[in-house]
Amino acid sequence: DQQVKQNSPSLSVQEGRISILNCDYTNSMFDYFLWYKKYPAEGPTFLISISSIKDKNEDGRFTVFLNKSAKHLSLHIVPSQPGDSAVYFCAASPTSGTYKYIFGTGTRLKVLA
Amino acid sequence: ETGVTQTPRHLVMGMTNKKSLKCEQHLGHNAMYWYKQSAKKPLELMFVYSLEERVENNSVPSRFSPECPNSSHLFLHLHTLQPEDSALYLCASSQGGSQETQYFGPGTRLLVL
């Protein structure tokens, strides 16, 4: 059973508009969340993270929102750019003491020029 | 070289072959990871080494054998693999373990015939 779910396998957005990528998790022990971006033929690269003590973290065009009661997080990219076209993975980690991240299956974002 | 490098980038092997995947990190990290990514599945953690000691082994079949001779190098020795082992194998490293950002290599695309 998948503990981290990205239910939208793909998303298309017009350049300049907002991209919203969603992620749901089932394990209430998760308290640290990350987003990674992956281009073809490259490994995932870290984008942004959020701890469960926060509900929002912002880094330039990227903002991650965490709703603990709904066990839901989202990544907002605004404005979207064609270079943002990639696969985005959400990952979650339980309380400290483990090296393990649980990843979602990814959402392929296409930003149309 | 910077970051995390992996060789080879592509590998085709028969079920009776023995091969090894190599990972090297140039980031001064002390934890290294092997992940498997199969089509339409999330990244699955296989092994974790911290300070050259294996700290996680996620029920991986014995036909996969990791080796970490020092904190900069990680190997995955492959022996009598099955076609279902065909996947992208990703190496990552981090400074410390729990809830530290993991930095990924580009991966080795493995095809088992």
Side-chain angles (χ1 to χ4, degrees):
Chain A
D1 185 35
Q2 271 183 261
Q3 298 185 67
V4 176
K5 297 178 186 176
Q6 293 178 256
N7 291 317
S8 298
S10 63
L11 174 69
S12 290
V13 170
Q14 208 64 35
E15 181 180 6
R17 306 295 291 268
I18 184 170
S19 296
I20 300 176
L21 297 100
N22 294 303
C23 179
D24 296 293
Y25 61 96
T26 57
N27 190 336
S28 57
M29 295 300 290
F30 290 152
D31 68 351
Y32 186 67
F33 305 88
L34 310 92
W35 284 94
Y36 280 83
K37 177 170 77 172
K38 186 179 185 300
Y39 293 119
E42 294 182 15
T45 55
F46 170 72
L47 199 53
I48 193 168
S49 62
I50 188 166
S51 164
S52 61
I53 61 172
K54 293 185 171 183
D55 54 20
K56 176 183 171 182
N57 189 24
E58 195 171 345
D59 183 1
R61 297 186 297 114
F62 302 91
T63 303
V64 55
F65 295 91
L66 176 62
N67 182 334
K68 289 185 286 292
S69 60
K71 295 192 179 70
H72 176 84
L73 65 155
S74 60
L75 174 68
H76 292 211
I77 306 172
V78 55
S80 301
Q81 298 172 355
D84 295 329
S85 298
V87 178
Y88 289 79
F89 294 96
C90 151
S93 174
T95 314
S96 61
T98 175
Y99 292 80
K100 198 166 182 173
Y101 287 163
I102 308 295
F103 283 83
T105 50
T107 296
R108 183 177 300 278
L109 173 67
K110 190 169 182 181
V111 180
L112 307 167
Chain B
E1 285 281 14
T2 58
V4 181
T5 58
Q6 289 186 243
T7 55
R9 295 294 308 274
H10 300 271
L11 179 62
V12 179
M13 60 186 287
M15 289 191 283
T16 57
N17 291 158
K18 286 185 186 180
K19 296 285 184 186
S20 295
L21 309 185
K22 179 183 174 183
C23 175
E24 186 173 357
Q25 59 96 359
H26 310 265
L27 300 168
H29 290 164
N30 55 29
M32 296 187 77
Y33 309 75
W34 279 117
Y35 284 88
K36 175 184 177 183
Q37 187 182 20
S38 304
K40 295 194 179 8
K41 286 189 176 180
L43 273 75
E44 301 169 54
L45 181 65
M46 299 174 75
F47 301 104
V48 182
Y49 277 81
S50 175
L51 297 170
E52 298 137 54
E53 203 173 306
R54 193 189 310 180
V55 295
E56 290 244 13
N57 176 353
N58 269 6
S59 304
V60 179
S62 59
R63 57 185 183 268
F64 295 91
S65 174
E67 179 191 359
C68 187
N70 56 61
S71 60
S72 299
H73 293 87
L74 184 66
F75 295 89
L76 187 63
H77 303 299
L78 315 173
H79 176 48
T80 57
L81 294 193
Q82 305 298 310
E84 60 264 29
D85 297 321
S86 299
L88 179 69
Y89 288 86
L90 290 158
C91 172
S93 70
S94 69
Q95 184 56 45
S98 177
Q99 299 187 353
E100 291 286 341
T101 301
Q102 295 177 19
Y103 294 84
F104 286 83
T108 295
R109 176 72 61 188
L110 173 67
L111 178 62
V112 181
L113 300 174

